Amino acid sequence: MSALMTVEGLTKTFGGVNAISELSFEIQPGHIHSVIGPNGAGKTTLFNLVTGVYTPTEGRISFAGEDTRGMPPHALARLGMSRTFQNLQVCMNMTAPENVMVGRHLRLDRRFLPALLRLPAVTRGDRACREKAAELMRFVGLERYLDADADAMPYGALKRLEIARALAAEPRMLLLDEPAAGLNANETAEIDALIQRVAESGVTVVLVEHDMKLVMNISDHILVLNYGKKLAEGSSEEIRHNPEVISAYLGAA
Amino acid sequence: MWNRFRNPYAGLPVLAIVLAVLPLAFSNPYHYDVAIHVLINAVVAVGLNLLIGYAGQISLGHAGFFGLGAYTTGILSGVYGWPPLLSVLAALVVVGVLAFAVARPILRLSGHYLAMATLGLGILISIVISTEGWLTGGPDGMIVPTISVFGWELFGETRWYWVMAVLLLVAVWLALNLIDSPVGRALRAVHGSEVAAQVAGVNTISYKVLIFVVSAVFAALMGTASAHYSGFITPDLAGFFHSIEFVTMVVLGGMASTYGALIGAVILTTLPQLLTGFDDLEMVIFGAILMAVMIFMPRGLVPTLTARLRKGS
Amino acid sequence: MLHALLKKIGLAAAVTGVAVAGMSNASAQQDPIRVGTFLAVTGPASFLGDPELKTLQHWVEKINNQGGVDGRQIELVHYDTAGNAGKARTFAKRLITSDQVDVIVGGTTTGTTMAVIPLVQRYEIPFISLAGGVPIIDPVKKWVFKTPHTDRMAARKILKDMQARGFDKIGLISGTGGFGKSGRKQTLSVVGDYDIEIVADETYGPNDTDMTAQLTNIANTDGVDAILNFGFGQGPAIVTRNYEQLGLKLPFYQSHGVASKKFIELAGEAANGVRLPAAALLVAEKLPDDDPQKPVVTAYKKEYESTYNESVSTFGGHAYDGLMIATQAIKRAGTTDKAAVRDAIEQTSGLMGTGGEFNMGPDDHLGLDLSAFRMLEIRDGEWELAE
Amino acid sequence: MLGEFLQYLFSGLTTGATYALVGLGFAIIYNASHVINFAQGEFVMIGGMGTVMMMAAGVPMPLAVLGAVALAVIAGVALDKLAIERARDADIVPLIIITIGASLFLRGLAQYFWGKSYHSLPAFTGDEPLKVLGATLLPQSLWVLGVAAVLLVALAFFFNRTLKGKAMLAVSHNKDASRMVGINPRFILMLAFALSAALGAVAGIVSAPITLTSYDVGIMLGLKGFVAAVLGGLGSAVGAVIGGLLLGIMEAMAAGYISSDYKDAVPFVIILLVLFFLPSGLFGKRGTERV
């Protein structure tokens, strides 16, 4: 099976300091991958690099067979990449379903003049999109908020709203940046189940997460970072017993 | 109650009726004159609101486009004798092309840097208009011929009122259409979270450029209307203060509210007429009102008041 | 502050009350004559508009106290344009169609005047402008008149004086506001009539605070005999100070745009030696006793200065002239019928104003000639006749 | 040639010093609150006009100067307490409108109480120009430059050596963290307004003998100060000062060497070019957006 994403020799420097250095790994399709590591290990930086938010200083990234280094996020989205954010990036100036509909942007009629004139083709597509958004909101467990403004929703619901928005694009790969951060045990369990359901639907999931229980539970493959470098890689069983990981990370916990 | 506020199209027939009935209250051409200025400003504000209120990109230079539109049609029809309708079209093209040419580098900026760049652009346009007196008449202004369409002369306050009223209705309708479409959602997402929009596949810079050009063309169209209606234009039209007035209409009435922009235009246009009795204190009162509204209703009049009504219901 | 504001609101209410009461009274007797005005009372041209408004207000009151015009009181309706042409246009429409004035005396700047001309022509209402630009009356427009000397006349007066003193190469510096731009244009257009060449041509913005760079350029131009500055506001005062700072010894001319005591005050010592063309008003007391203008200008000066406790400027004088032309025309016409008043204004002759003797006609809606202008020189901080 | 160049340079430095002080006021307030205060120019006006008016009322010059600075500081603190503090959660655009409203309000009051005339102040030490290598310089220009330099040194001392100054810097970096270590950001914000009002007022007073003053001089200066602050990079005090000086020099050089007609356009062309190539000004922080 060929990899969905290949990263080789990835390095990112901020003001002379390497946030990520010489990192190489592969993402296999259909699996749940996790990236773990202590605070400041470079996990979010890695996400920002592979999703095009940052441009790498060195190294190669390819996704779905294309060299994506330096590609802007919207071009990567076209290739089927989608993500959520550690600190929420919900559009508070819109309603909840509209946020999800934004996620479907690439699958809609985006022509300017028909939109301006409200041609039937546009309104028809939009109505379908609205239904799809509602369906996705139910899928992530947000049926209560079908009429809500985003700024009226609690934190936990916003985290799921981001997932719904990311799914709306029907991505091949979904990157989730700490989906369980700030959630209680109950909510975490629900997120856990949700991620598995997403993976079952055939979407490759890449996860950054602090909650070890969640990570160990659901990951097929784990990448451990420390100070921007790869510390270890393998199945959850392998990671659990890796002495370096234990001393650097798990041991401390 | 709820849903009535939710469906923005419900406001269109109300607006149409108000516009149709309003002239009954007019007793002389001066009233029409003020109303026409309100309508002209309202269209500019509705367009600018797409940029500022919905896409979240500030511009302190839109009077530059307004003025450039006015002068392009003024020069082409007045100096070179083009048919006015053609010169209006040419003005839209000129402004559209200019806005498109500068939009990309300008809209890469954000916040106060964006404010500075748009301000600078507007001031540059007004300096050129004021300096190239051989073409524009300089600071003392130039005369612009009236407009006629297939022999029907657009002249006099009543005719202008009806034409502008229809234009406003169309402008509001177009704006509402755009806001509630994939394009409009992408724009609002740019405002809400630029990075989220990008990740969702929105080419944010293209959308910013698009809406910048659209709002510039709205302003230019009204610039041409203002020129042909007044019959006389001066570089003040393109000046910094005029830009600030437009922005204030949008913000005072309520950002991201098409009807808010409209209300803002009504207030900002009629208030100075109402304050003339205060003579030397006019500026003090005007400044105090601006501050008070923005301090107590930072989201603007219409969104704040509708939110209160909603809570009340 | 709040107190002052409340007082003002109270005052406004009181005025409205009086106006309403006055209206019902007046209709019982005879309608007042309604004189409309729109002036740049604030903004960059406020030092023109302010004395204009003060003059109109005082003399309207005075005329009313003396029994009005033909027994009818005058009612003054005024709006502040801040020098903005768009505002001027709206206010003019308000004066004409809402306030229904009989005649308009106003328009501080050429820009605001030009913006209003299409309106007064269309609504056919007599309009006496207080602005300087030649285009206002050239070509002649049926309903439009003006009282100040034109900038073209000023340019001619100055160039004539220069020629008499044997200068043949001059440096020109002008403001980029409407007044300076128009003055520059007129100077360039008439300079060919004199044996004078303009060898340097510089400008400065309305808000500039330092013109040494421009003056240095002029001073460094070969063969410059004299410098002329066309501008108004604080700009010319700064130019004059910079001129002094640079130690320039060339003869220095200003335009009639500086014809107020304020200029001497702001320019200080540097003003001494500056020549400018201006109305006789500035040197009222110094005129020979047989000068026919002397009684008018000394009376206006005395009354203005004692009423407002500030020095006269020629600008207020233009408003005075405008009001006199209008009221006398109404008196001669015996009616406020607009066409009759217009005709009467056009027939104005031998009217002695602060700006000179007005003799209008169908081809001349200004009615002043070059003799109305005096060449003045500032000596020891005072205006003196140079001729 | 040299004389000419020096003349332009002196002219530019004198105007530039005023721009620099106004720009610095922008930077201080921006740092403390991320507000662009369009009323900054009005402090300059209050300084100049206040001194003129108090002197006209018979107050001796030194007292009038102090009184005018105090008046500006009162206006600044009032602006902060009555407007900015109440609206601190507002977006940048409403905040811009608030400060524009404040500027109209202050200008309107000045016009109402102090009249519309231009005024001049007597030069502090005479009007006799100094000759330097073929160029001339007014003693008052030296005052402007000297006072600006003294203020800059004093400010540098304040920010780097005093507790209050360090607290202001801390607030500009991280409001929440500084609150936790016991700094009251509201007090700091008030201090920022007081400080930049005082700066503006001093600029207005020292420059009034050269530039003249009136109720509406604040409009242009407010705009130029904003340009200076952005040119230098918002939030950088050094940048604002250099930006202001550059702005003044560019204007003078443009008037001297290029065309006085387009002198006013030059700074705006430059600022657009700078922003196109250095989107955060000459000395602004270049950060990557955090997500």
Side-chain angles (χ1 to χ4, degrees):
Chain A
M1 191 162 56
S2 72
L4 179 59
M5 171 177 262
T6 314
V7 173
E8 278 173 70
L10 188 67
T11 300
K12 177 68 180 178
T13 313
F14 288 119
V17 180
N18 280 355
I20 294 285
S21 53
E22 296 287 321
L23 189 62
S24 303
F25 63 90
E26 285 187 348
I27 300 286
Q28 300 302 331
H31 288 185
I32 299 182
H33 294 255
S34 288
V35 182
I36 61 170
N39 273 330
K43 301 176 305 262
T44 296
T45 304
L46 176 63
F47 261 35
N48 285 337
L49 285 168
V50 299
T51 54
V53 176
Y54 296 167
T55 312
T57 313
E58 295 284 341
R60 284 171 34 84
I61 305 175
S62 71
F63 175 66
E66 289 203 38
D67 179 2
T68 62
R69 200 199 124 128
M71 263 196 196
H74 65 87
L76 285 162
R78 250 168 236 266
L79 295 178
M81 194 185 289
S82 195
R83 72 172 283 190
T84 66
F85 297 86
Q86 182 187 351
N87 52 352
L88 290 172
Q89 293 288 337
V90 174
C91 299
M92 293 300 180
N93 55 340
M94 298 162 81
T95 66
E98 279 174 336
N99 263 282
V100 181
M101 288 163 85
V102 168
R104 246 187 126 57
H105 182 69
L106 290 173
R107 298 189 179 271
L108 296 172
D109 185 343
R110 303 186 299 280
R111 286 171 306 159
F112 172 67
L113 271 182
L116 195 63
L117 299 174
R118 206 174 175 77
L119 295 188
V122 177
T123 46
R124 216 179 301 124
D126 232 35
R127 210 173 305 124
C129 174
R130 199 169 284 277
E131 278 157 22
K132 177 80 188 170
E135 184 188 309
L136 277 166
M137 283 180 69
R138 282 187 209 101
F139 178 73
V140 301
L142 289 178
E143 52 281 338
R144 283 179 56 200
Y145 297 103
L146 282 172
D147 274 329
D149 284 326
D151 61 3
M153 291 167 69
Y155 182 78
L158 290 174
K159 295 227 90 160
R160 289 193 221 184
L161 187 63
E162 278 210 337
I163 297 177
R165 180 178 65 201
L167 288 175
E170 296 174 29
R172 300 168 71 172
M173 181 163 103
L174 172 65
L175 297 97
L176 302 170
D177 197 348
E178 302 204 16
L183 302 185
N184 62 30
N186 250 342
E187 290 171 320
T188 305
E190 281 169 24
I191 288 282
D192 179 338
L194 174 59
I195 293 171
Q196 301 210 32
R197 263 186 291 154
V198 170
E200 277 159 23
S201 69
V203 180
T204 307
V205 176
V206 184
L207 195 65
V208 161
E209 187 48 68
H210 270 295
D211 190 310
M212 275 310 127
K213 201 166 142 249
L214 176 73
V215 170
M216 293 302 168
N217 254 347
I218 63 175
S219 308
D220 299 308
H221 181 269
I222 299 176
L223 172 69
V224 189
L225 289 185
N226 201 14
Y227 297 110
K229 292 192 175 115
K230 192 199 300 183
L231 192 68
E233 197 177 4
S235 70
S236 49
E237 204 57 18
E238 286 162 3
I239 295 299
R240 213 191 295 271
H241 298 111
N242 185 314
E244 272 187 81
V245 176
I246 293 169
S247 71
Y249 185 71
L250 292 176
Chain B
M1 204 66 198
W2 239 107
N3 283 329
R4 218 180 299 163
F5 286 120
R6 277 271 154 150
N7 181 6
Y9 287 96
L12 263 182
V14 177
L15 179 62
I17 292 169
V18 169
L19 287 174
V21 174
L22 206 57
L24 297 178
F26 295 163
S27 51
N28 59 50
Y30 160 66
H31 293 148
Y32 276 99
D33 187 69
V34 173
I36 291 163
H37 281 113
V38 167
L39 293 172
I40 288 175
N41 288 335
V43 175
V44 177
V46 165
L48 190 57
N49 191 27
L50 293 174
L51 180 73
I52 297 182
Y54 287 103
Q57 309 298 311
I58 190 174
S59 167
L60 299 184
H62 259 54
F65 299 126
F66 186 92
L68 188 61
Y71 270 91
T72 309
T73 190
I75 290 165
L76 290 179
S77 62
V79 180
Y80 295 102
W82 286 31
L85 214 51
L86 193 62
S87 69
V88 166
L89 271 176
L92 300 188
V93 171
V94 166
V95 170
V97 168
L98 175 80
F100 182 76
V102 297
R104 209 159 269 270
I106 281 188
L107 289 160
R108 274 199 342 200
L109 304 164
S110 62
H112 293 111
Y113 293 102
L114 177 62
M116 178 79 252
T118 48
L119 184 157
L121 178 71
I123 290 185
L124 280 178
I125 294 175
S126 74
I127 289 178
V128 172
I129 290 176
S130 180
T131 306
E132 300 305 319
W134 58 277
L135 193 61
T136 64
D140 282 343
M142 71 181 290
I143 291 172
V144 179
T146 54
I147 214 168
S148 61
V149 187
F150 306 118
W152 183 73
E153 197 178 29
L154 184 46
F155 187 74
E157 287 80 6
T158 29
R159 283 183 179 186
W160 271 99
Y161 175 82
W162 293 116
V163 172
M164 289 294 114
V166 170
L167 262 181
L168 176 66
L169 280 173
V170 172
V172 169
W173 182 69
L174 293 178
L176 292 177
N177 288 349
L178 194 66
I179 293 156
D180 186 32
S181 76
V183 178
R185 271 198 305 279
L187 283 170
R188 285 185 286 156
V190 168
H191 188 189
S193 163
E194 187 153 353
V195 68
Q198 285 172 346
V199 169
V202 178
N203 185 347
T204 50
I205 187 76
S206 304
Y207 276 90
K208 289 193 223 170
V209 169
L210 171 77
I211 205 64
F212 188 75
V213 173
V214 169
S215 63
V217 170
F218 266 60
L221 178 67
M222 288 301 108
T224 62
S226 168
H228 289 290
Y229 167 63
S230 302
F232 191 82
I233 50 180
T234 62
D236 286 343
L237 291 183
F240 173 58
F241 294 105
H242 205 202
S243 288
I244 295 291
E245 262 183 77
F246 286 144
V247 174
T248 309
M249 287 170 197
V250 171
V251 182
L252 194 77
M255 287 200 283
S257 160
T258 300
Y259 297 106
L262 226 155
I263 298 289
V266 173
I267 294 175
L268 262 282
T269 318
T270 51
L271 197 58
Q273 294 294 325
L274 299 176
L275 291 180
T276 51
F278 289 99
D279 285 343
D280 281 356
L281 277 173
E282 189 186 323
M283 205 191 306
V284 177
I285 297 170
F286 189 71
I289 291 177
L290 277 195
M291 280 201 286
V293 174
M294 292 288 73
I295 292 169
F296 297 112
M297 305 180 187
R299 292 170 58 208
L301 284 167
V302 169
T304 310
L305 295 180
T306 46
R308 271 187 208 162
L309 270 177
R310 264 196 229 170
K311 265 195 201 125
S313 69
Chain C
M1 166 58 225
L2 188 67
H3 183 68
L5 184 66
L6 287 177
K7 233 170 88 187
K8 194 83 188 179
I9 292 174
L11 195 69
V15 168
T16 323
V18 169
V20 170
M23 241 143 63
S24 49
N25 267 343
S27 55
Q29 307 165 2
Q30 208 174 9
D31 284 340
I33 296 167
R34 297 172 71 88
V35 175
T37 187
F38 60 100
L39 300 165
V41 183
T42 58
S46 64
F47 72 101
L48 307 177
D50 194 53
E52 286 166 358
L53 179 61
K54 283 175 175 161
T55 299
L56 289 179
Q57 284 173 330
H58 177 73
W59 267 272
V60 162
E61 193 189 320
K62 186 176 171 184
I63 292 170
N64 286 341
N65 288 340
Q66 290 169 351
V69 177
D70 278 350
R72 291 170 67 182
Q73 295 281 297
I74 301 178
E75 193 182 309
L76 183 72
V77 188
H78 82 88
Y79 297 112
D80 174 18
T81 63
N84 178 304
K87 279 190 174 179
R89 203 176 169 283
T90 297
F91 285 134
K93 193 165 275 181
R94 190 167 174 177
L95 287 172
I96 298 167
T97 68
S98 180
D99 302 318
Q100 308 206 323
V101 298
D102 298 307
V103 55
I104 299 178
V105 180
T108 304
T109 62
T110 304
T112 50
T113 296
M114 294 304 286
V116 161
I117 286 177
L119 276 182
V120 299
Q121 289 283 98
R122 189 174 124 218
Y123 284 98
E124 311 201 319
I125 181 163
F127 169 41
I128 302 176
S129 166
L130 309 179
V134 174
I136 298 170
I137 46 141
D138 181 17
V140 170
K141 294 153 198 80
K142 189 175 175 196
W143 297 88
V144 183
F145 304 85
K146 80 192 260 319
T147 58
H149 319 89
T150 63
D151 39 13
R152 187 182 293 165
M153 290 165 73
R156 283 193 181 282
K157 185 81 184 175
I158 293 165
L159 292 167
K160 211 171 123 192
D161 193 64
M162 287 175 164
Q163 191 172 31
R165 292 170 76 188
F167 307 142
D168 53 10
K169 283 183 179 159
I170 64 163
L172 177 64
I173 178 166
S174 55
T176 54
F179 182 87
K181 276 225 139 160
S182 171
R184 172 180 174 273
K185 191 172 157 192
Q186 296 307 327
T187 308
L188 293 177
S189 76
V190 299
V191 72
D193 299 348
Y194 304 84
D195 298 327
I196 292 176
E197 188 190 346
I198 292 174
V199 289
D201 184 5
E202 296 281 334
T203 62
Y204 56 88
N207 295 298
D208 283 7
T209 55
D210 189 316
M211 291 73 153
T212 49
Q214 291 94 319
L215 284 174
T216 305
N217 277 350
I218 295 180
N220 289 346
T221 308
D222 282 341
V224 169
D225 292 325
I227 301 179
L228 164 60
N229 175 23
F230 235 111
F232 76 20
Q234 85 288 12
I238 297 178
V239 172
T240 311
R241 285 161 156 247
N242 291 162
Y243 173 90
E244 171 95 348
Q245 178 198 334
L246 293 172
L248 301 181
K249 298 283 178 251
L250 300 165
F252 191 28
Y253 287 81
Q254 292 276 358
S255 73
H256 55 314
V258 303
S260 80
K261 195 83 181 185
K262 199 78 208 171
F263 168 72
I264 298 181
E265 198 181 295
L266 291 176
E269 291 279 303
N272 290 327
V274 167
R275 281 197 175 200
L276 71 152
L281 179 58
L282 292 185
V283 285
E285 290 90 357
K286 287 161 189 153
L287 292 173
D289 284 337
D290 58 350
D291 191 308
Q293 247 192 299
K294 187 158 186 171
V296 179
V297 289
T298 45
Y300 171 78
K301 184 175 179 201
K302 211 174 123 208
E303 184 140 358
Y304 185 91
E305 293 187 342
S306 64
T307 309
Y308 291 111
N309 200 18
E310 63 183 32
S311 300
V312 277
S313 65
T314 54
F315 316 120
H318 301 319
Y320 172 86
D321 295 349
L323 185 65
M324 291 306 136
I325 291 171
T327 49
Q328 297 201 10
I330 291 170
K331 203 180 279 175
R332 285 200 309 277
T335 163
T336 47
D337 175 74
K338 296 190 176 73
V341 173
R342 190 214 79 89
D343 292 345
I345 293 176
E346 196 168 74
Q347 285 150 17
T348 297
S349 78
L351 189 150
M352 194 54 78
T354 65
E357 189 182 303
F358 288 90
N359 292 297
M360 297 199 185
D363 310 324
D364 184 1
H365 279 192
L366 167 62
L368 293 173
D369 57 27
L370 265 191
S371 72
F373 253 144
R374 318 286 166 122
M375 185 53 73
L376 307 186
E377 188 171 303
I378 300 167
R379 287 178 210 137
D380 295 328
E382 293 291 334
W383 310 110
E384 303 287 349
L385 283 160
E387 292 155 324
Chain D
M1 272 322 275
L2 176 69
E4 214 175 85
F5 176 78
L6 273 182
Q7 192 63 57
Y8 303 154
L9 188 67
F10 290 161
S11 154
L13 279 175
T14 312
T15 359
T18 314
Y19 296 164
L21 288 179
V22 184
L24 193 55
F26 270 99
I28 291 174
I29 290 182
Y30 180 82
N31 264 341
S33 62
H34 281 235
V35 168
I36 282 293
N37 177 25
F38 274 96
Q40 194 66 30
E42 306 312 321
F43 299 143
V44 182
M45 178 275 291
I46 293 175
M49 286 298 285
T51 310
V52 167
M53 287 300 149
M54 281 185 240
M55 282 177 72
V59 181
M61 184 148 182
L63 273 183
V65 167
L66 282 181
V69 174
L71 201 58
V73 169
I74 292 170
V77 170
L79 172 59
D80 171 46
K81 285 284 158 198
L82 300 178
I84 304 298
E85 202 181 290
R86 280 160 207 270
R88 61 185 167 278
D89 297 328
D91 245 11
I92 73 169
V93 195
L95 278 168
I96 287 180
I97 307 287
I98 289 176
T99 61
I100 287 173
S103 124
L104 288 173
F105 185 77
L106 292 173
R107 199 183 311 146
L109 285 184
Q111 177 203 295
Y112 188 70
F113 288 108
W114 292 339
K116 284 164 284 199
S117 302
Y118 263 87
H119 297 274
S120 101
L121 273 177
F124 297 180
T125 48
D127 285 318
E128 198 53 48
L130 311 165
K131 299 227 183 299
V132 187
L133 300 171
T136 59
L137 183 63
L138 287 176
Q140 191 64 30
S141 294
L142 293 178
W143 272 99
V144 174
L145 291 169
V147 167
V150 168
L151 284 177
L152 291 182
V153 172
L155 272 179
F157 178 80
F158 174 74
F159 280 122
N160 295 321
R161 293 292 147 83
T162 68
L163 215 55
K164 285 275 174 291
K166 287 182 181 175
M168 276 180 84
L169 285 184
V171 168
S172 78
H173 287 135
N174 190 331
K175 212 177 243 175
D176 295 330
S178 43
R179 196 179 282 127
M180 273 188 276
V181 297
I183 301 167
N184 179 357
R186 287 166 76 172
F187 176 76
I188 295 298
L189 184 58
M190 189 184 88
L191 200 62
F193 269 88
L195 203 57
S196 60
L199 276 180
V202 171
I205 296 165
V206 288
S207 63
I210 301 176
T211 62
L212 311 180
T213 185
S214 82
Y215 79 100
D216 62 357
V217 291
I219 309 175
M220 243 322 140
L221 285 172
L223 216 57
K224 294 280 172 70
F226 182 34
V227 175
V230 175
L231 187 60
L234 272 175
S236 158
V238 180
V241 172
I242 297 178
L245 291 175
L246 272 180
L247 188 61
I249 294 172
M250 281 186 311
E251 284 185 352
M253 295 294 164
Y257 290 119
I258 306 173
S259 137
S260 39
D261 268 351
Y262 275 105
K263 176 183 74 73
D264 281 336
V266 169
F268 291 105
V269 172
I270 301 278
I271 191 104
L272 280 174
L273 290 178
V274 166
L275 288 179
F276 289 173
F277 295 106
L278 296 169
S280 27
L282 294 175
F283 300 93
K285 288 176 223 133
R286 263 162 222 109
T288 321
E289 198 185 345
R290 277 177 173 267
V291 290

